[in-house]
Amino acid sequence: MEFKTVVFYFLAAILVLAALRVITARNPVHAVLFLVLAFFNAGGIWMLLGAEFLAITLVMVYVGAVMVLFLFVVMMLDIDFARLRDGFWSYFPVGALIGVLLAFEMILVLGSTRFGFEAFPVADPAADFSNTRELGLVLYTEYVYPFELASLVLLVAMIGAVSLTLRKRRASKYVQPSAQVAVHREGRVELVKMAAEKDEPTAAEAAAATDNPASAPGATAKN
Amino acid sequence: MNFVVPETGQYLSPAAGEIFVALAVLVIMLATVFARRAARGLAYFLTQLTLLVTALITISTLDSNTHFTFSDMFVSDPLSGLLKLVVVFAVMVALLYGRGYLADRKLDRPEYYLLVLLMTLGMMVMITANHMLVLYVGLEMMSLALYVLIAFDRDSVRSTEAGMKYFVLGALASGLLLYGMSMVYGATGSLDLTIIANKTSAFAIDSPSTDRTVLLFGIVFIVAGIAFKFGVVPFHMWVPDVYQGAPTAVTLLIATAPKLAAFAMAVRLLVWGLPHLAFHWQSMLMFVAAASIILGNLAALVQHDLKRMLAYSGISHMGFVLLGLLSGFAHDGVVFNEPIYSHRWFSLAFSGALFYAISYVLMSLAAFGMIVLLSRAGFEAVRIDDFKGLNRRSPWFAAMMMFVMFSMAGIPFFVGFFAKFIVLQAVLEAGHLWLAVVAIVMSVIGAFYYLRIVKLMYFDEPVDASPLRAPAELRVMLSVNGLAVAVLGIAPQALLTLCEHAFRASSLYR
């Protein structure tokens, strides 16, 4: 057996085991760590195929950024994982059916003459072939238009996320002078005409009632 | 494979409009950060200015030739010029209508205008795309901005729910579309629509090959993605909820310009990219169009919320647009060669669909503009009953609303009548008698709910007798819009000639 084949089976075995542990691990933090391991091994397999740019991107982007974010989320959110697992067996038939369907479709696609392995022979590049360089050349020449547009799509996402979630926190309660000045009597007090239910009050009671006008504190002025 | 930075600028000049909008977005973003107090007004005026300049750039670069740039990914032809112009004007009018509405509800933050500009850019990219990847990127730019705009009233449960719904369903539709594109790529080996069109010409109608199967699967998914963006049956579920949940100023945006972008996407992908498989996508569109016209009209009958009613009516109108699109090629599966593109029939069907889409945008702008006109701070005139007795409150705007309703119902000598007439003529010439019968019968049934609004306005007592308090610019623009619906109905020839010219001159082959 060739050395490359040995390495492939070694990486693939760890990848499959790690992927299995992702869904079976009881502790969510362990599951995330196993996912990191799975990504790392997948990167190794890509490296074997000669796709070093993809491999490094996978490790940098997924292991370095996305998975760390996952870890943060898992640790910071208080999710009851026991409850999440509760419905496992009731969802199992549907999940299994979808899984079998997916596998069937993949076999169908890979087995067809159009997308089969023989339709895409493995390229045998020269030793100093750098696919990072080739990707870069295409990305900044032929594909420069969609590449620049993609950056604007990211800008949309950024503006959208900020405008939907950013709320100014009020550190201090303050009064807006302009709102205070703009207040009208009608905005604060509504005089309602009602039929008298009691007899006319005495003079002293009437004086006490006028000392207590129905005005709210200045900060709650209606705009 | 070198990216040539042109010295004379001639290679980038077809894309001048897109480049200008992209730069303006960045400038406005920074300007509003530093403007602080005046940011709201500044963002609005700069956005309108940008759109105006974009329209001028589009007009000045308009000619009857087809230009390609950015490695053939960008195409500028008369069709794209016309569509871009209408899109830009529709967005301008929608912004003008929505300004007071947004200010009343404290939604006129600068980000709103940035997102609208980016949405416009996305639509322009879709309109000028000659490459599936570019088309998809443009679609995502438009859709992402729309998701955020719908949920922009973040303290309203309805608004956020509508945004979430549209986001989840839209992501699914994007996935379907992308899957279809990948299959077409698998079968043809290219994402360039011109190359795809040339390569698929080899797939005659009964050549049994795996490539054809793969292509057909791809077309199914592409049609599904297009149908979702049009909002037609069976991918229409989001339309009423999103129209109702979004702030009316945003509904104005969703119901108008993106329909034209969806039209452009359908033309680029199906008519430009896959004309030789027309037989297959035609039969899919036939079902979609008939179902939309039937369901849209029947469901609109029972609505009490005007926004929902207009949403269902929009579904049926989009069915009509698809009727035009599917009538452009003969239905017996004959594969056409080059000369068909100058054929009168071809241009009648497609320019009819384009005419329908443009007149729908015009009517839709006016109808939602009326809702904005009747709304005020703390009150949304979305119930049909809010239009009761409008004639007593404002005879002029009651007449405008009547024009729009008559036009949508397809009553003669309004623009909607001619749109329906041309499309049905194309359908009959293509030989789909049953489709024309279904469309006419359902239009007659649909006339009921449009006429009900006219009846409420003229013959019922007003529920809410307060006078209209809308800014002058809204009143003027709405009057112009309503009169345009009437005038274009009397003299549709100019717009029709423009649509026909756009399709005749925009040839597929280089």
Side-chain angles (χ1 to χ4, degrees):
Chain A
M1 214 190 303
E2 221 184 319
F3 177 66
K4 256 174 108 177
T5 321
V6 177
V7 175
F8 169 77
Y9 278 113
F10 181 69
L11 291 173
I14 298 179
L15 172 63
V16 171
L17 281 179
L20 274 176
R21 286 296 289 147
V22 172
I23 51 170
T24 52
R26 291 218 163 263
N27 189 331
V29 176
H30 291 174
V32 173
L33 290 175
F34 274 116
L35 195 54
V36 170
L37 184 64
F39 276 136
F40 208 80
N41 283 289
I45 291 176
W46 274 350
M47 194 77 94
L48 269 186
L49 286 172
E52 75 274 357
F53 180 74
L54 272 181
I56 290 167
T57 314
L58 183 78
V59 171
M60 280 203 308
V61 176
Y62 277 88
V63 178
V66 177
M67 292 325 291
V68 172
L69 202 71
F70 262 44
L71 266 182
F72 265 116
V73 172
V74 165
M75 286 174 172
M76 283 172 74
L77 293 184
D78 186 23
I79 302 170
D80 188 356
F81 286 94
R83 259 192 58 210
L84 278 185
R85 257 194 296 271
D86 262 358
F88 180 78
W89 287 109
S90 61
Y91 291 125
F92 181 75
V94 182
L97 182 72
I98 291 174
V100 169
L101 271 179
L102 278 180
F104 175 70
E105 281 169 355
M106 274 162 104
I107 291 166
L108 215 64
V109 168
L110 289 179
S112 78
T113 49
R114 184 71 217 179
F115 293 120
F117 293 115
E118 62 272 19
F120 293 96
V122 179
D124 193 18
D128 60 343
F129 182 82
S130 156
N131 55 40
T132 313
R133 184 187 140 78
E134 292 304 310
L135 276 174
L137 277 178
V138 181
L139 204 58
Y140 291 100
T141 54
E142 215 185 321
Y143 285 87
V144 67
Y145 184 49
F147 183 72
E148 292 299 327
L149 286 175
S151 72
L152 283 170
V153 174
L154 289 181
L155 183 68
V156 173
M158 221 157 74
I159 296 175
V162 171
S163 70
L164 283 184
T165 53
L166 181 71
R167 281 167 200 274
K168 279 217 182 82
R169 206 177 290 169
R170 280 255 182 102
S172 63
K173 294 196 171 168
Y174 59 89
V175 177
Q176 271 192 339
S178 61
Q180 271 186 319
V181 171
V183 160
H184 293 289
R185 191 183 68 117
E186 290 77 22
R188 295 234 175 135
V189 189
E190 195 180 354
L191 293 177
V192 185
K193 200 98 176 153
M194 292 178 75
E197 289 181 7
K198 278 203 293 186
D199 297 332
E200 285 287 303
T202 62
E205 276 172 346
T210 49
D211 283 347
N212 185 22
S215 67
T220 60
K222 276 193 199 171
N223 290 323
Chain B
M1 201 195 279
N2 291 324
F3 176 63
V4 189
V5 178
E7 287 149 39
T8 54
Q10 57 170 340
Y11 290 105
L12 293 180
S13 64
E18 282 77 4
I19 294 171
F20 177 72
V21 176
L23 290 178
V25 166
L26 304 179
V27 170
I28 295 174
M29 190 161 66
L30 288 179
T32 48
V33 168
F34 291 110
R36 289 174 177 274
R37 287 270 165 87
R40 285 160 197 256
L42 186 73
Y44 173 76
F45 284 113
L46 286 181
T47 304
Q48 290 286 42
L49 188 70
T50 306
L51 291 171
L52 189 68
V53 173
T54 311
L56 291 179
I57 292 175
T58 311
I59 291 172
S60 67
T61 53
L62 211 58
D63 57 14
S64 35
N65 298 322
T66 306
H67 306 278
F68 292 89
T69 183
F70 287 122
S71 324
D72 291 350
M73 288 183 187
F74 181 101
V75 59
S76 164
D77 50 16
L79 177 68
S80 73
L82 178 63
L83 280 171
K84 270 199 281 189
L85 265 186
V86 182
V87 160
V88 168
F89 277 124
V91 172
M92 281 175 84
V93 174
L95 281 181
L96 191 146
Y97 285 168
R99 193 182 177 209
Y101 178 95
L102 291 169
D104 283 345
R105 286 154 187 78
K106 306 235 178 307
L107 292 177
D108 58 344
R109 287 174 271 148
E111 297 90 57
Y112 180 87
Y113 296 107
L114 287 176
L115 287 170
V116 170
L117 267 189
L118 284 164
M119 179 189 90
T120 314
L121 178 62
M123 291 189 285
M124 291 167 74
V125 168
M126 283 167 79
I127 289 169
T128 51
N130 189 40
H131 195 268
M132 285 191 171
L133 185 63
V134 175
L135 191 77
Y136 180 74
V137 172
L139 177 70
E140 280 307 283
M141 199 189 295
M142 179 191 86
S143 306
L144 274 174
L146 269 180
Y147 304 145
V148 180
L149 285 174
I150 291 166
F152 209 71
D153 189 3
R154 55 192 185 186
D155 295 322
S156 147
V157 178
R158 273 214 169 149
S159 168
T160 39
E161 188 197 312
M164 198 65 207
K165 233 177 225 172
Y166 192 37
F167 175 63
V168 173
L169 290 176
L172 182 72
S174 291
L176 290 180
L177 186 70
L178 211 52
Y179 194 36
M181 287 176 174
S182 75
M183 285 193 174
V184 172
Y185 177 68
T188 59
S190 176
L191 285 169
D192 188 312
L193 290 171
T194 321
I195 297 175
I196 289 174
N198 290 336
K199 285 215 173 172
T200 49
S201 64
F203 297 117
I205 213 64
D206 38 35
S207 75
S209 73
T210 336
D211 289 357
R212 241 187 91 241
T213 320
V214 173
L215 259 182
L216 290 189
F217 268 108
I219 291 176
V220 171
F221 286 109
I222 286 178
V223 168
I226 291 173
F228 180 88
K229 290 300 161 193
F230 264 118
V232 286
V233 179
F235 302 97
H236 66 288
M237 301 300 188
W238 61 274
V239 182
D241 289 353
V242 168
Y243 277 33
Q244 189 186 17
T248 308
V250 178
T251 314
L252 257 170
L253 286 170
I254 314 167
T256 53
K259 303 288 183 197
L260 283 175
F263 177 82
M265 179 165 85
V267 169
R268 295 278 183 230
L269 281 177
L270 298 179
V271 182
W272 264 211
L274 298 159
H276 302 286
L277 293 132
F279 173 72
H280 300 282
W281 53 257
Q282 260 175 347
S283 40
M284 295 173 211
L285 288 188
M286 257 184 230
F287 163 75
V288 168
S292 309
I293 293 173
I294 293 172
L295 189 133
N297 278 316
L298 289 184
L301 285 178
V302 292
Q303 302 302 324
H304 295 290
D305 185 301
L306 189 60
K307 274 158 100 180
R308 281 187 88 85
M309 191 201 95
L310 287 174
Y312 280 111
S313 107
I315 292 173
S316 79
H317 284 299
M318 287 304 114
F320 269 97
V321 173
L322 292 184
L323 276 188
L325 275 183
L326 68 84
S327 308
F329 297 106
H331 70 293
D332 53 1
V334 178
V335 179
F336 290 116
N337 290 320
E338 206 164 340
I340 186 63
Y341 293 99
S342 54
H343 196 271
R344 192 185 145 265
W345 177 15
F346 171 88
S347 66
L348 174 78
F350 292 119
S351 59
L354 178 58
F355 183 82
Y356 201 108
I358 292 176
S359 57
Y360 173 71
V361 166
L362 203 62
M363 297 186 287
S364 188
L365 273 176
F368 286 104
M370 285 299 296
I371 299 180
V372 173
L373 177 81
L374 294 188
S375 304
R376 52 183 179 266
F379 174 73
E380 301 265 344
V382 289
R383 287 178 312 140
I384 286 179
D385 287 351
D386 292 329
F387 280 77
K388 272 188 179 169
L390 184 63
N391 188 35
R392 302 263 180 89
R393 295 165 68 192
S394 165
W396 174 253
F397 285 109
M400 291 298 126
M401 187 65 176
M402 182 178 72
F403 286 171
V404 175
M405 288 296 117
F406 278 176
S407 175
M408 279 192 169
I411 288 169
F413 311 122
F414 288 97
V415 66
F417 165 75
F418 280 102
K420 280 198 170 66
F421 182 77
I422 299 161
V423 165
L424 288 176
Q425 199 185 350
V427 170
L428 283 178
E429 278 198 38
H432 312 299
L433 182 65
W434 68 274
L435 269 178
V437 171
V438 167
I440 290 172
V441 169
M442 294 321 294
S443 297
V444 172
I445 294 175
F448 168 76
Y449 58 85
Y450 297 119
L451 294 180
R452 182 173 59 183
I453 297 211
V454 176
K455 181 240 169 200
L456 288 179
M457 287 192 306
Y458 280 92
F459 301 109
D460 281 20
E461 291 299 316
V463 181
D464 165 27
S466 59
L468 304 178
R469 274 174 293 181
E473 66 206 42
L474 171 58
R475 287 161 176 269
V476 172
M477 196 62 226
L478 198 54
S479 307
V480 171
N481 195 338
L483 288 176
V485 169
V487 169
L488 273 179
I490 297 164
Q493 204 52 48
L495 181 60
L496 194 60
T497 316
L498 216 58
C499 293
E500 255 182 67
H501 173 75
F503 264 100
R504 267 171 207 264
S506 306
S507 140
L508 167 68
Y509 295 98
R510 263 176 279 173

